[in-house]
Amino acid sequence: MTAYPIKHLPAEILPEGGSVTWSVTGNGVVSRLSGGVAAWAVTDAERWRKAAVPAVLAPAAGGRLLTALVAAAYVLLFGLSSASLAWRSGPGEGTDWAGYPVLVLLTALPLWYRYVPVAAVPAALLVAGEAVPALARPGDLDRPATAGWLLVLAACAVAFTGGCARLRARRRQRALALAAAGERRFPLPAGTPESDGRRGHEQVYLGLALCVVAAGILVEGLFGEPTDSGVPYDAVGQQRVALVLLVAGTTFYGRGQLAHRAAWRLHGEPQPALIVGVRAGADGRHWVCADADTRSAPPLIACRPRKSDTRERTRLLGSGSAYGVGNGHHDIDPKHEPFEAVLYGTLAEGDEVVLAYACAEYHHHHEMGRMYATVTTTPLRPDRRHGLGPWEPADGAARQEQRLREGRERMARYREAERDAERRAEERRKNPPPPPPRQPADDSGSHRRRGGCGSGCGSSCGGGCGD
């Protein structure tokens, strides 16, 4: 049994009984759907794409830039500077606890910018509030320390500017998608996987566990007793271990909370809906396009549907005569061209959406297939590079004819195999194989037990057989 996505949506998959009309253009069959669900126009999708942040401030690119700035600042401040004593207040004063929270925030900036931008904005302000007073005391800093604090300020500027730009781009893109979808709202389709009860929970619990462990380590270092010589307790080792745990734990926790809130918003109320195109990549990601017919429409935003979040065969949409030549109800290879789907929810990175589309299911021994509704719930990813090349529309009539021909050939082979099996069974019934010959019984053992010598003479005297 094999299932393939259907190029154009049948009317039965639309909410509230929409209808479908068809028109043929130079590029092939184009669907026109109505019934309250708007199609995402290419011009509207292009405005949505232009509302995104510049590529240099994208999550991945901005995160790499911040990683380089923070790493260079660490080298200058704690490796090359003689004025900085690496988390110590001064000689003999023990571990520096006052500046430790700023170091945690500075280290977390790259990860927070990429995965939790709403937390990166206030963190950048707090770190900058520590860097500015440090630079205001030039007599206490050497050149490496000054350069290090300048890099810290540069990282804060990038994180603050990029974080604000990303949050603003999300609001603009949501507004543009809502305007394209119109004012109508629809309940999620039947069979939609419920993700609001589990999305992000594992990350939240993991983040909390890491933070609790880090807190325990810091408490141990904070209340460490001085040495016998009176030198204050050195808790730099505990601070370093706790730093890694805090950065990882807060990132997991924040990312899980955002995912859970996105799932809760999706399932909590009726959602806008748009007709979009979806194309699958070789790496498992699915890319949302403006539609499934415009070859010049670029992929816009990605998702990675998981098998646990996908429900197949939620509704029977049609079979047999539903596959008319030229009506667009032919299956395609989703890696070669996009297919139509109804997208429920808002369109911005970090949001969660529902994709409803039709699949054709072909059984091995049937010529015709059946169309079923498939529903998947998936978060939207902030990916930019898709790696998808240009595509050409498949000839639906030729593909359908090939599919039917292959089905007839499979059916003929199946029937021929059944007839061969019946003939062989009939031949075995009429000409059963002869029974195997009976083997003579071996009495040598019993003869020995009766005291015979084993030569067959029957004597028990030990020498009557002439041996």
Side-chain angles (χ1 to χ4, degrees):
M1 185 173 60
T2 308
Y4 300 92
I6 295 294
K7 177 66 176 180
H8 291 108
L9 290 171
E12 292 79 7
I13 203 171
L14 298 179
E16 298 186 5
S19 60
V20 180
T21 58
W22 303 93
S23 63
V24 180
T25 66
N27 294 331
V29 178
V30 177
S31 62
R32 298 290 184 260
L33 295 98
S34 60
V37 182
W40 202 11
V42 177
T43 54
D44 294 337
E46 183 63 20
R47 284 195 292 269
W48 184 94
R49 186 184 66 84
K50 291 181 178 179
V53 296
V56 68
L57 295 178
R64 287 193 292 267
L65 176 59
L66 284 174
T67 300
L69 291 174
V70 171
Y74 260 83
V75 171
L76 292 171
L77 289 174
F78 304 127
L80 301 179
S81 174
S82 60
S84 177
L85 296 177
W87 300 347
R88 299 178 188 275
S89 301
E93 297 182 9
T95 308
D96 180 14
W97 291 99
Y100 184 70
V102 174
L103 289 176
V104 175
L105 296 178
L106 175 63
T107 309
L109 270 184
L111 287 176
W112 286 7
Y113 180 83
R114 181 163 185 173
Y115 299 111
V116 198
V118 67
V121 174
L125 292 177
L126 292 174
V127 175
E130 180 75 13
V132 171
L135 288 171
R137 301 188 299 269
D140 299 336
L141 301 176
D142 55 8
R143 288 186 177 181
T146 302
W149 283 115
L150 288 175
L151 287 179
V152 170
L153 278 181
C156 294
V158 172
F160 180 80
T161 304
C164 291
R166 287 178 61 192
L167 296 176
R168 179 173 179 270
R170 287 183 181 184
R171 290 193 297 269
R172 292 179 58 192
Q173 288 181 326
R174 289 193 187 103
L176 290 172
L178 290 174
E183 297 182 357
R184 297 197 61 181
R185 299 294 181 264
F186 304 92
L188 299 181
T192 299
E194 296 181 0
S195 60
D196 54 337
R198 56 183 173 82
R199 185 81 73 194
H201 285 189
E202 294 181 357
Q203 294 175 324
V204 168
Y205 296 145
L206 176 59
L208 288 176
L210 293 176
C211 290
V212 168
V213 174
I217 294 174
L218 290 177
V219 168
E220 178 187 0
L222 183 62
F223 293 98
E225 297 181 357
T227 62
D228 296 337
S229 59
V231 178
Y233 183 75
D234 186 359
V236 173
Q238 286 92 331
Q239 285 186 336
R240 290 173 178 172
V241 175
L243 174 68
V244 176
L245 295 176
L246 286 173
V247 170
T250 53
T251 303
F252 279 120
Y253 178 82
R255 192 179 184 187
Q257 278 286 4
L258 292 178
H260 174 68
R261 289 179 60 85
W264 180 79
R265 288 194 302 267
L266 176 69
H267 294 273
E269 57 186 2
Q271 296 293 324
L274 279 173
I275 304 296
V276 299
V278 179
R279 187 177 176 187
D283 56 358
R285 291 179 299 174
H286 285 54
W287 290 86
V288 177
C289 312
D291 57 45
D293 296 295
T294 305
R295 283 177 282 177
S296 60
L300 299 173
I301 195 167
C303 60
R304 190 184 292 272
R306 298 188 301 181
K307 192 172 182 179
S308 60
D309 291 331
T310 301
R311 297 290 183 272
E312 300 176 348
R313 293 183 293 179
T314 58
R315 284 188 296 144
L316 177 64
L317 302 177
S319 61
S321 60
Y323 297 88
V325 176
N327 68 356
H329 294 170
H330 60 272
D331 61 271
I332 63 165
D333 185 351
K335 295 181 180 179
H336 292 168
E337 63 175 301
F339 59 91
E340 283 185 342
V342 182
L343 185 146
Y344 297 84
T346 54
L347 270 166
E349 64 166 285
D351 290 348
E352 188 161 319
V353 298
V354 170
L355 293 173
Y357 53 96
C359 283
E361 185 179 88
Y362 298 95
H363 293 266
H364 293 301
H365 307 305
H366 293 79
E367 295 182 3
M368 303 298 292
R370 293 182 177 182
M371 282 194 299
Y372 288 98
T374 299
V375 183
T376 184
T377 305
T378 178
L380 296 177
R381 300 163 55 94
D383 301 343
R384 294 293 184 97
R385 297 183 179 181
H386 51 80
L388 300 176
W391 60 273
E392 293 290 335
D395 189 340
R399 183 178 175 89
Q400 185 67 17
E401 181 60 31
Q402 178 184 3
R403 183 72 62 191
L404 295 176
R405 184 174 61 254
E406 292 175 353
R408 289 191 293 268
E409 293 174 355
R410 285 195 302 269
M411 178 60 70
R413 290 193 298 268
Y414 174 72
R415 290 174 178 172
E416 183 64 26
E418 282 188 334
R419 286 193 292 267
D420 290 343
E422 291 176 357
R423 283 195 299 267
R424 288 193 296 269
E426 183 66 20
E427 290 176 359
R428 286 193 299 268
R429 188 182 63 82
K430 292 181 178 179
N431 302 309
R438 297 182 62 184
Q439 299 293 332
D442 187 3
D443 296 334
S444 58
S446 61
H447 180 75
R448 294 190 191 96
R449 286 193 296 270
R450 290 194 301 266
C453 62
S455 61
C457 66
S459 173
S460 61
C461 61
C465 62
D467 287 343

